[in-house]
Each structure stands twice: as structure tokens, then as C-alpha cells.
Amino acid sequence: MSSAPVFPVLRHDDYFTRPSIDELVEMEAADPGYCSRVPGFVVGRVGYGQLSFPGDTDVRGMDLNEIVKFGKHCVEVYKDEDSKPPLGQGLNKAAEVTLMLDLSEIPEPGTLVEVLKRQTRKQGAWFVSFNHLSGRWKFEVDHFSRFGLVDEEEEDVVMDEVVARQPIAEVREPPANGHELELSRSLPAHLGLDPAKMQEMRMTMFSNEDGDEDMEDGFPSDQRYFSSERMNVDSPNSSALRLRSLSPLHGSSLKVGRKFGVLDRKEPQALLEYSANSSELGLSSHGILMSGQNKGFPVRMTKVDGFKLPANQTTPVTGKIYTNCVVDAALFMGKSFRVGWGPNGILVHSGSLVNRPGTGLSSVIHVEKVVCDKVVRDEKNKVKEELTDLCFSEPMDLHRKLDREYLETESDLFKLKLQKVVTSRFVLPDICRSYIDIIERQLEVSDLSLSSRVLLMHQVTVWELIRVLFSERATGTQLEPTGDEDQEGMILDKKEGSVAIDLEALPLVRRADFSNWLQDSVCHRVQGEAGSLNDARYLEHIILLLTGRQLDTAMEIAASRGDVRLAILLSQAGGSMLNRSDLAQQLDLWKANGLDFNYIEDDRVKIYELLSGNVQGALVDLSIDWKRYLGLIMWYQLSPDTSLDIIIHSYHQLLGEGKVPYPVPVYIDEGPLDESLQWSPGDRFDISFYLMLLHANQDEKFGMLKTMFSAFSSSYDPLDYHMIWHQRSILEAIGAFSSDDLHVLDLSFVYQLLCLGKCHWAIYIILHMPHLDDAPYIHEKLIREILSQYCESWSKDETQRDYIAELGVPAEWMHEALALYNEYYGDQQSALENYIRCGNWKKAHTIFMTSIAHSLFLSSKHQEIWDITSALEDHKSEIADWELGAGIYIDFFILRSSMQEESTVDDSDLLEKKNESCSTFFSRLNDSLLIWGSKLPVEARACFSKMAEELCELLMNTPGEGLAPNLYMGCFQTMLNAPVPDDHRSSYLQEAVSVFTDILCRD
């Protein structure tokens, strides 16, 4: 392959790239196709600046000196508009621009930052930073043209017709033909819209805080630059000191240029023109000019009817297409609407499919549930419980039994034990066999759809491939048969006899196992295609058998037809390279000597070509799948001692050159599908090919893990991750790779489990997510969110509750979720208990005071109140207003008990002490009523009144014969200050008058 169209060209010495051109050549050789996906590509010029392109960039065949031109304080990319690629391709994509400014040539350096920010915004870019010392100016752009500082007096006009400049307030005389008047800068007039209405709409839609953006033609100037594609025009070249305007119509007039240094206006003052109908005002009528603040057109808010779909319109989540994407309502309703996912697969959407022709947008919002359990449904779309167990519970139980190591993390007062499965490559065959047993039991379930069976068989082959590629055998042991003659499905290497495996022979043993895996994987396709041939086409039948390496059958067919020589050649197929060379030389001699190939069957020549190692020549008009093509290269083209890694790399290199079939996923390769899919070659490989590449790159970092473990690499259902996660976990456990960047896979499987109500397994998955130093609390946040959102599911399942506890999840988190759940459904008593158990004393105290205490007190359940308040009292330092909250109930019981015990003692000091205690307590009751306010229901206020009544009664019944009158009156004053109803207060007052009268009479 020539390097000219692959590598970029850079001729000037002062220009540079990162990676350099030499590094790109080395990386392309090590990883074919690297130049089509260079990460973080940088191109620049020494002393002038550089461009940095985030993500992957295709730099193949680029002449960088022709595309990128750095000048003084500016940079221009794709000067020739005709050669500019579409937005997002080549270098016409988002980038960070760094320009080196010569500060000695720039006036007023003190205000330079503000100037750069303003001019950056006018170009449609985003200011990042400016270094006063080095003169380094950084900004970000969405696409490329020309950016930088140029002569401030220069004006650039890109118009269909250039018209002489007019003053901003000048109005042209009406044309003689009587057409409507148009102001040169009025875009609404060009579009056939009423400028007055457009001005009203602008004033309604754009608030004052957005007023610092320049408004031209009734639209924000920045938005005009960003939406050029929507207007079906090419983006103009921009500069910091010039404004360019493009009109969507031909014959547009010239925009008035802006000078450098003019401050932005706070309120747009764009002039609009209202062109009256000529039939009403005549030819001599002048246009009416308005500004942005004209009060002749008041702002009016009008109700706009949205688009509506017919009532019987099907939605994207109905029927069998529920996994397709839907239009985000925010895309067409702006910031006035948001759309998102709720628990259990609830989706709010607009009802319009993405890229579905003939489907319009709709503001009729649908709330539907996206089904995430298709994998457990039969061909009648009914959920089967046995499939649920086989797809989720049994694989998870198997995974749980594997050896693992733990990492304890601390979060505040709590600890979590993160888990990681570790296992040996020597026991990998047993693990794969266990997963295959589970899948085979799924195949025995009745009423499975054909597409489901295809995917299940594919999962079997994937686990067998993992065993073949990544398992290890102990050297010096005996090679045992790894299959069963009577077993359907995969029949692996069944070499009889017992041989000691030498260390040097292990690669050949793995190659043989891989060869057997390929034979078994394509066997059903070979038999299916061969079954449609008649007996007369035996040579074509032999070719098909050779694509599956079924040599015994091919020899039998040739011998049965009397074609002994061909049978002998077939018996040596894929053998020594000498035989292949002899066949190739014989074919070359025939061609050189002018042999008339019309006397030899075409299929026979193809067989000779294949046996000589010319796979491409033998398959000129024969289309086969990628696995068989890989097998042909391995069996007939490369030497028998070629290592497996070289075989895989060879196919990958040919794939990059477009010479071999693309390794499409199984649901595209074999089908049939229940759903129509939009797929094109290049999207992704089949997971089997990813596994091969992972094995071949085992000593290097594998950069395709995210794509490898996406749902579409093995299933047409983008929401099904149940088996991919297990495959990833086992491969990581044996050390095939290590990655901390597969959270999408983990969380997708978590979501799938949550939609099925398997909260305990979802938490199990989260605990297997790797620990990240930059997100140390991610596990806690996810677990607590699951416990809260799906509390109804796990709280009612004792098995799930026990399993979550066994995982080491703190019981406080579970009680916190239960407390929120109970409080939401009005079960305040249970919410209080769970808040106490989770240690949320403040919330428990609030619920106790506002919902629980008064009902218990009025029901005379004093012991329960005492138990609750005693539990809270141990943490009263963490509770605000404890003395005016639950502490009141404790002090009431204590005070009442002491007053009852001392009620028979006639002592003035004792009465005075009781009076003081009651006075203090009543004051706290009043303060508590003020603090809690409306939070306390009527029953709680009645509870406080009952406390006060009981204490007043005990105070009145205290013996006090011969005591001083002022002591009596002090007691009555205390009772009158108690929070009791008015009728009780009146009775206390009457009693006070009676006692006072009796004292006077005795005197």
C-alpha cells in the first residue's frame, strides 16, 4: 500500500505537528488505520501559534501547508472554500486556537483582554485565556475559516451583489414601480415577514439579561454566525475586526461595517422598516422607522398552539420498535422544556423518531415505559420467568462463586467493600463451560424467536472463543479431549491419545484449537449452502466444503465421482508449502504456455487456485462470510506454522485495505431480525473479532474496549448488556486487559437490572466498578440513589434485603431510604423509626414533634414517648431547639412525677419550688409554640394544653394552709400564663378571686 494517500504532508521547516510525521508513520505501521483516527492532533507554526483538535482526526493524505496557513496574529484554514470539507470532517471541526501576539505592535495593552474577548465573540468563537507575558491568546472555534487580528479599517463583504454603503438612518426613496419599500438592513423584510411583529417577538423572547448581545435583522448577531448551515449558505470567513453578513436571498444589500473598539450596546437599537401596502398609502408614502425601544408597539404575550399528532399515531416505544431513539423535546422547544428518564424505564418524549422520513415534530408529549426486558420474552412477546432466571439470576450466582479480592473504602462514618473477581487462566475452561451450560438451557426453552436463538448460539461461540484464546494449559500434562462426540454444537479438538505438551508447542496447540473453533463456527453455513446444490454441481460443492475445511467429505465426493487426482490433491490441502508452490507454478506454466482454460471447468480452476494459496483468485465471484474468509487465509494461504497473532494481524491489515469481508456483528451477518436496523459497514466489528484483536495485542494497550463491550457488538438490542458484562468481567479477571473507563457498560447493565426489579444485583454490579481517585464517592452515591428510587422493590423482597446486607451495604443507608419512602406515603411512625436507625436525629426529631408525639400523648401511650425521646436525648447536641422540642416531653414526665410524689407535703418552700418549676415549663411551652409555629398541627397544641392543665391541677391541689397570700397569688399568676384554653384560664381566675376573698374574710 502506497504511503502517499495515507500520511499527511508537511514541507515547511517552521511548521510542526504532534504527533510528528515520523511518529505517524511508525504508529500507522504498528496499528493500521491510525492516521484515520489520530487522537489530539496538533498542527502549528513556530512563533505564530498552533491548532489543537480534540478527539480523533482523520489526517490521511492532507497537504497541511496548503490547508493551514499561519500569518501574523491570524490563522486561515481551507482558504479555498470549494475544497473545504463538510463541517466535522477533515480539519473543518472544533478546535482550540493558540495565536502568539506581538505586544509591542498592539496599542493599549491594558485593555487588550476585553478587546480580545469582544472580538472573539464577534467571530463566533469562545475566549479561553490570554497571557500578558507571553502574548499567548487562546480561543475555541466550532469550525474553520480565518481567525485573528487584521487591519481594523478593513471591511470584507461577501454578498451576491455589492451595493454602495448608506448611512444607518437613511431611507431610500420609493421605487418608481410601486413595490414595497425595504430598508437595506432589514432581514425580516427580505424574508417576507412583518418587521413590527418580528420586533414584538424579539422583545418578548429575549430578556434584558441577554441584551448585551448585538441584535441585527431582528436576530442576535452571534446566532446569525452559528446558524449559517440552517440558512443553506456557506460560513463566511471571519475576523476579529470585521463583520461579514450572508443573506439567504440573492440580491441582498451591504451590511454597515463596524469599527474596532466600539462598545456593545446594552439594548439593541436595530432599525426596522414597516413597508405599507402601496394600495393603501400610494406611491409617495414613506416607510415607518422603528427602533428597539419604540413604544408604539407594545409587547404582547400570545398563546401559541403547538404541533399535534393524530390521536392514533403510533409512538416509538409501541410495538416491536421500542428500542429506537426518539426526538428530545428540548431540541425543538428550547430551554422551556426538558426531557429525561425516570425510574423503571419511564421516558417523556415527543413521539417522533430520529431520521424517520415523513415524521414531523410534535409538542404533544408522551409518557411511556421503554421495555428493557426483551431478552426474557418469547416470540409472542410474553415474559418467561425461566428466562429471567437463566439470563440474570443464574449467571450472577455463578459469578458470585468465583474467587475475588476486596478493597475497603471509607466514606464519612461508613465503609464499603469493593470487589474484583480474580481467577486463573488454567480454570478458565471450566468457567466458560459453566456459562455455556446456562445458555444451552436457555435454548431448551420453548417459543423462543429465531433471532433469539441465533444470538444465544453466538454467545456459545463467544465463550468457546474466550476459552480458546485466553486459557492456559500446564506444560508436561496430557492433552485431553475437550469435546464429546455425541454433543451437539461446539466440537473442539478431539485428538486421541495422550501426549505431553512441550512449552514450544503451546502456540501450535492454540492455533489448532482456533482452527477447530473456526470449523465448528461456520459448519452450519457450509451445510446450509451446500444443501441447495444438486448432484451435478459437485465441484461447486467441493469449493463450499473447502471454505469450511471439511476435507474428508470433499475427498469422498471427488473419489465417488472418479476424480482420483483431485481427491489426492484435496488430501494434501493446507499441508506443506512445497505442494502449494508446485500447484502455483503449474498454473503459471499453463497461463504462460497459452493453455485454453475453456476446456477446464471454472470451478476446477478455482479449486486449484485455492489449493495453491491464491485465496483472492479463487473467490472472484464467490461471496462468503468473514469467518470463512479468515479460515481460508489461515488454512490455505499462510504456512501451517504461522502463529495465531500473525494470522489475526494479517486479516486486520487486509481489512484496512478493503480486500476481505467486514467482520459484521452476528445479527447482521446471519439474522434474521425482528426489527429493522440502520447499519453500515464500519460502525463496529463482531465481538468475536474484537476478542481476536485483543488476543493479538495482548502485550500492548488495546484501544477498542468501549466499542468491543457495547451492546451492538453482539446484539441488536441496545439495552441488553447481561452477557457482555460477564464476558468483560471474566476477561479482566484473568488479566487479558485492565480498564477503569468502562463505566458505561457497568451502568447500562445496572439500569437493565433495575428495570427488572433486581436491585440487589444492581448493587452487586456497582460494587465491582473500579475505584477512581477523582471520583472516590461514586459507589456510595449510586447505591444510595438506587436504595432511594427503588425502595418499593427491594424493601418488599426479603431475599433482596438480606442479600444487600450481605454485600456490606451499611444498614443506615437502607433505613434512610425506607424513611424517605415511608414519609412520602404518610407512614410517619415507620419513617420516625427508620430515621432513628439511620442516625438522622434532626429529621427524626422534626417528625416526632410534628406528627407522632401529640397522637401518642393524647392516646396515653406515655411509655412509647419516653422510649423515643430517650433515644433522641443521647444525641440532643445534634438537634436544634431540643429544649423546645422533644425535651419538653421528658421534662414534663419528670416534673409531673415529682409533683405527684410531693403532693401530700405541706411546705411553703416546696410550693414555691413547684411554682417556679411550672412557671419555667409554661414559658418553654409558649416559646415552643412560637418556634414551631404552623408546623405544629392543632392536635399538638392541644397536647401542650393538656400538659399545662395537668400541672396546673397538681399545683392547685398542693396543700398550703396558713401560707402567705402573695405565694398563692404567684401560683395563680403562673397558671394564668399557661398555654390553656380561655375557659380554663377563666376558671383559674375565678378560683384566684375566691381564694383572695376567703383570705380577706379571715383577716
Side-chain angles (χ1 to χ4, degrees):
M1 182 176 61
S2 175
S3 61
V6 176
F7 305 110
V9 178
L10 191 66
R11 294 182 295 274
H12 300 327
D13 294 336
D14 56 343
Y15 279 75
F16 64 91
T17 63
R18 286 198 300 267
S20 65
I21 301 298
D22 294 337
E23 291 174 342
L24 288 175
V25 173
E26 295 176 0
M27 294 177 181
E28 180 68 22
D31 183 9
Y34 180 85
C35 288
S36 65
R37 55 179 189 279
V38 180
F41 182 69
V42 175
V43 58
R45 184 181 182 187
V46 178
Y48 288 84
Q50 67 179 34
L51 308 176
S52 178
F53 298 89
D56 295 342
T57 304
D58 188 352
V59 299
R60 293 177 296 180
M62 286 187 178
D63 189 344
L64 295 176
N65 290 122
E66 291 295 324
I67 296 175
V68 181
K69 294 184 180 296
F70 279 90
K72 193 170 186 178
H73 301 167
C74 67
V75 61
E76 192 169 17
V77 183
Y78 295 112
K79 181 178 181 180
D80 185 7
E81 290 288 330
D82 295 333
S83 64
K84 181 188 293 186
L87 183 64
Q89 297 184 15
L91 299 186
N92 190 24
K93 55 185 289 191
E96 182 184 79
V97 182
T98 301
L99 295 179
M100 302 300 297
L101 304 184
D102 188 353
L103 300 179
S104 63
E105 299 182 7
I106 299 177
E108 299 180 6
T111 61
L112 186 57
V113 174
E114 293 301 321
V115 171
L116 292 177
K117 287 183 179 179
R118 181 166 59 253
Q119 301 311 321
T120 303
R121 183 174 66 251
K122 288 182 180 179
Q123 292 182 96
W126 291 268
F127 181 87
V128 175
S129 66
F130 175 71
N131 191 314
H132 294 272
L133 300 177
S134 63
R136 192 184 303 272
W137 172 27
K138 288 186 179 181
F139 56 94
E140 296 178 351
V141 298
D142 275 340
H143 57 85
F144 262 106
S145 149
R146 186 180 183 189
F147 295 89
L149 294 176
V150 295
D151 185 5
E152 65 182 57
E153 296 297 330
E154 180 182 345
E155 293 180 359
D156 190 1
V157 181
V158 182
M159 307 295 292
D160 297 322
E161 294 180 13
V162 178
V163 185
R165 181 181 303 183
Q166 301 178 9
I168 192 170
E170 179 182 349
V171 183
R172 293 174 295 172
E173 291 296 328
N177 57 9
H179 291 171
E180 292 184 359
L181 298 174
E182 292 184 354
L183 189 65
S184 62
R185 57 183 283 110
S186 178
L187 178 60
H190 281 303
L191 298 178
L193 304 175
D194 187 346
K197 298 295 184 182
M198 293 299 297
Q199 179 69 354
E200 293 180 44
M201 184 180 298
R202 183 193 65 76
M203 297 175 65
T204 302
M205 296 177 62
F206 297 96
S207 57
N208 290 333
E209 61 266 16
D210 299 328
D212 57 343
E213 298 178 0
D214 288 332
M215 302 286 292
E216 294 190 19
D217 299 332
F219 297 99
S221 60
D222 289 346
Q223 183 177 346
R224 184 177 65 255
Y225 293 115
F226 298 152
S227 58
S228 59
E229 278 112 5
R230 276 183 252 173
M231 297 168 64
N232 298 322
V233 293
D234 294 331
S235 301
N237 292 338
S238 305
S239 70
L241 305 180
R242 52 175 118 168
L243 289 177
R244 302 183 179 186
S245 174
L246 286 180
S247 171
L249 301 178
H250 293 289
S252 301
S253 300
L254 171 66
K255 290 278 185 185
V256 178
R258 294 192 179 185
K259 302 292 185 179
F260 172 75
V262 179
L263 296 178
D264 294 342
R265 293 184 294 251
K266 272 303 193 181
E267 183 67 25
Q269 299 291 328
L271 291 178
L272 304 175
E273 179 180 42
Y274 177 77
S275 298
N277 191 297
S278 59
S279 62
E280 297 178 359
L281 300 179
L283 298 178
S284 61
S285 301
H286 293 281
I288 303 174
L289 295 180
M290 312 186 315
S291 70
Q293 292 180 338
N294 192 297
K295 297 183 179 179
F297 296 88
V299 177
R300 293 195 300 266
M301 299 295 293
T302 58
K303 181 178 180 181
V304 180
D305 293 332
F307 301 97
K308 295 183 179 179
L309 289 176
N312 58 352
Q313 174 72 35
T314 59
T315 62
V317 290
T318 56
K320 297 182 178 181
I321 57 174
Y322 51 79
T323 58
N324 288 336
C325 299
V326 294
V327 173
D328 188 334
L331 293 179
F332 65 92
M333 296 186 70
K335 62 183 180 181
S336 62
F337 184 80
R338 291 292 179 266
V339 66
W341 292 88
N344 300 316
I346 299 299
L347 174 66
V348 179
H349 64 90
S350 63
S352 298
L353 285 176
V354 173
N355 295 330
R356 175 65 64 87
T359 304
L361 298 178
S362 168
S363 61
V364 179
I365 304 304
H366 301 262
V367 180
E368 306 205 29
K369 182 172 182 178
V370 177
V371 181
C372 298
D373 57 355
K374 185 174 181 178
V375 68
V376 298
R377 294 176 179 267
D378 59 14
E379 58 182 354
K380 298 178 181 178
N381 204 31
K382 293 183 179 180
V383 176
K384 284 184 170 288
E385 292 298 330
E386 52 185 331
L387 278 179
T388 303
D389 293 336
L390 290 171
C391 290
F392 296 97
S393 297
E394 293 201 18
M396 296 302 289
D397 287 332
L398 173 60
H399 188 271
R400 188 184 177 189
K401 296 176 182 177
L402 300 176
D403 295 333
R404 63 196 64 240
E405 60 185 21
Y406 297 90
L407 174 64
E408 191 172 84
T409 62
E410 294 187 5
S411 173
D412 295 332
L413 303 176
F414 306 106
K415 294 182 179 180
L416 273 181
K417 281 188 177 182
L418 304 186
Q419 304 181 25
K420 181 180 180 181
V421 172
V422 290
T423 187
S424 169
R425 292 177 182 248
F426 295 102
V427 299
L428 180 60
D430 296 332
I431 297 175
C432 294
R433 183 68 255 173
S434 300
Y435 278 108
I436 291 174
D437 290 341
I438 295 174
I439 298 172
E440 289 176 343
R441 291 206 300 273
Q442 294 181 45
L443 287 167
E444 297 173 359
V445 177
S446 59
D447 299 330
L448 283 180
S449 64
L450 182 57
S451 59
S452 298
R453 293 187 179 276
V454 169
L455 293 182
L456 289 174
M457 288 302 302
H458 181 251
Q459 290 176 10
V460 172
T461 62
V462 169
W463 281 111
E464 289 286 2
L465 181 59
I466 291 174
R467 180 195 65 79
V468 169
L469 293 178
F470 300 100
S471 64
E472 296 289 351
R473 301 189 185 188
T475 57
T477 57
Q478 293 181 349
L479 181 64
E480 298 178 356
T482 56
D484 186 356
E485 290 289 352
D486 299 328
Q487 181 185 359
E488 293 183 7
M490 282 293 173
I491 305 177
L492 302 178
D493 190 12
K494 291 183 276 293
K495 298 181 180 180
E496 297 181 357
S498 301
V499 227
I501 302 179
D502 188 18
L503 182 62
E504 297 180 357
L506 285 178
L508 297 177
V509 173
R510 191 184 304 279
R511 186 186 191 277
D513 283 347
F514 183 77
S515 175
N516 291 330
W517 177 86
L518 270 180
Q519 289 180 242
D520 296 329
S521 298
V522 302
C523 179
H524 65 286
R525 304 197 71 164
V526 173
Q527 293 176 354
E529 294 178 11
S532 61
L533 301 177
N534 54 42
D535 295 338
R537 301 166 62 184
Y538 81 96
L539 290 176
E540 186 176 354
H541 191 181
I542 289 175
I543 293 177
L544 287 177
L545 293 174
L546 289 177
T547 61
R549 203 169 182 264
Q550 298 183 19
L551 300 179
D552 293 343
T553 307
M555 286 186 295
E556 291 176 1
I557 293 177
S560 65
R561 292 303 183 114
D563 203 339
V564 180
R565 291 183 177 87
L566 180 60
I568 294 174
L569 288 176
L570 293 175
S571 66
Q572 304 174 31
S576 72
M577 297 298 294
L578 182 60
N579 292 339
R580 301 185 203 180
S581 177
D582 290 343
L583 269 174
Q585 290 180 9
Q586 183 63 61
L587 289 172
D588 291 339
L589 285 174
W590 285 350
K591 294 175 183 177
N593 295 330
L595 177 67
D596 190 354
F597 283 92
N598 291 326
Y599 292 96
I600 303 179
E601 302 97 321
D602 290 339
D603 291 335
R604 186 180 297 274
V605 175
K606 291 179 182 179
I607 294 175
Y608 291 161
E609 291 283 0
L610 184 60
L611 296 180
S612 68
N614 184 10
V615 176
Q616 287 77 13
L619 302 178
V620 175
D621 55 354
L622 183 62
S623 177
I624 62 175
D625 59 280
W626 70 272
K627 289 182 181 178
R628 280 190 283 176
Y629 208 108
L630 173 61
L632 293 179
I633 294 175
M634 175 181 178
W635 297 322
Y636 307 115
Q637 182 170 319
L638 300 177
S639 61
D641 58 347
T642 304
S643 67
L644 187 56
D645 295 348
I646 296 178
I647 295 172
I648 297 171
H649 280 305
S650 300
Y651 190 88
H652 194 203
Q653 183 176 358
L654 292 173
L655 181 64
E657 299 173 359
K659 297 180 179 179
V660 294
Y662 195 86
V664 295
V666 63
Y667 53 88
I668 300 293
D669 191 23
E670 298 187 23
L673 296 177
D674 295 334
E675 303 179 11
S676 59
L677 292 176
Q678 296 181 354
W679 188 89
S680 59
D683 287 352
R684 58 187 51 82
F685 302 142
D686 185 82
I687 191 173
S688 299
F689 191 66
Y690 282 118
L691 289 170
M692 298 176 194
L693 293 177
L694 178 63
H695 171 75
N697 293 270
Q698 54 188 336
D699 296 331
E700 304 174 4
K701 186 175 181 180
F702 191 64
M704 293 185 281
L705 289 175
K706 288 186 177 180
T707 313
M708 173 181 178
F709 292 113
S710 66
F712 278 127
S713 65
S714 60
S715 172
Y716 56 83
D717 186 357
L719 302 179
D720 181 22
Y721 287 83
H722 79 282
M723 194 54 69
I724 307 176
W725 185 86
H726 287 276
Q727 292 162 357
R728 169 267 182 108
S729 179
I730 298 303
L731 288 171
E732 199 166 15
I734 62 175
F737 68 90
S738 178
S739 174
D740 294 336
D741 198 22
L742 291 175
H743 292 302
V744 173
L745 169 60
D746 294 320
L747 295 181
S748 298
F749 190 31
V750 166
Y751 172 75
Q752 186 178 10
L753 290 167
L754 290 176
C755 289
L756 294 168
K758 308 295 184 180
C759 304
H760 58 310
W761 290 125
I763 295 175
Y764 178 82
I765 301 300
I766 291 174
L767 290 176
H768 283 76
M769 293 172 57
H771 176 77
L772 298 178
D773 293 334
D774 55 348
Y777 305 115
I778 186 66
H779 304 86
E780 174 189 351
K781 292 179 180 179
L782 291 174
I783 292 175
R784 297 181 84 157
E785 185 174 348
I786 289 175
L787 293 175
S788 299
Q789 287 193 12
Y790 299 89
C791 183
E792 185 173 6
S793 299
W794 62 264
S795 63
K796 296 181 179 180
D797 189 335
E798 185 177 356
T799 303
Q800 291 198 30
R801 290 201 310 271
D802 295 341
Y803 188 80
I804 293 174
E806 291 177 8
L807 290 175
V809 176
E812 289 83 355
W813 296 357
M814 301 172 66
H815 289 299
E816 181 183 30
L818 287 169
L820 292 172
Y821 176 79
N822 293 327
E823 186 178 7
Y824 178 80
Y825 283 100
D827 189 355
Q828 303 295 342
Q829 183 68 40
S830 298
L832 173 62
E833 295 175 1
N834 284 292
Y835 274 128
I836 292 176
R837 292 180 180 179
C838 72
N840 193 337
W841 311 110
K842 183 177 180 180
K843 188 66 176 179
H845 180 254
T846 302
I847 291 182
F848 173 75
M849 288 299 299
T850 58
S851 305
I852 302 299
H854 56 269
S855 61
L856 295 178
F857 189 87
L858 296 177
S859 302
S860 299
K861 297 180 179 179
H862 297 164
Q863 185 59 43
E864 294 185 22
I865 294 178
W866 181 262
D867 295 338
I868 295 173
T869 52
S870 299
L872 294 175
E873 188 178 19
D874 295 336
H875 304 274
K876 63 181 180 181
S877 60
E878 304 174 32
I879 302 174
D881 300 321
W882 165 262
E883 296 298 332
L884 300 180
I888 287 178
Y889 289 89
I890 295 179
D891 293 344
F892 168 74
F893 292 136
I894 296 175
L895 180 57
R896 186 183 66 174
S897 178
S898 64
M899 291 180 66
Q900 288 175 346
E901 294 175 358
E902 299 169 354
S903 60
T904 58
V905 180
D906 189 0
D907 187 355
S908 59
D909 294 336
L910 183 58
L911 180 60
E912 183 177 2
K913 180 181 177 181
K914 291 181 180 180
N915 183 40
E916 291 177 358
S917 299
C918 290
S919 177
T920 303
F921 185 77
F922 294 157
S923 177
R924 287 172 59 192
L925 288 178
N926 291 322
D927 292 342
S928 179
L929 292 171
L930 292 175
I931 289 294
W932 291 94
S934 60
K935 295 180 181 179
L936 291 179
V938 176
E939 292 82 358
R941 296 174 182 272
C943 178
F944 280 14
S945 297
K946 187 174 182 180
M947 289 183 188
E949 292 172 18
E950 292 188 24
L951 294 179
C952 288
E953 183 177 356
L954 290 173
L955 189 59
M956 290 177 59
N957 295 332
T958 300
E961 292 293 337
L963 300 180
N966 58 346
L967 184 56
Y968 280 112
M969 299 313 298
C971 292
F972 283 112
Q973 182 63 41
T974 298
M975 290 187 291
L976 293 174
N977 292 332
V980 294
D982 291 339
D983 55 345
H984 287 76
R985 188 174 286 103
S986 298
S987 66
Y988 297 155
L989 184 58
Q990 292 175 3
E991 185 67 24
V993 172
S994 174
V995 171
F996 185 68
T997 303
D998 184 57
I999 292 174
L1000 290 178
C1001 292
R1002 287 203 305 266
D1003 293 342

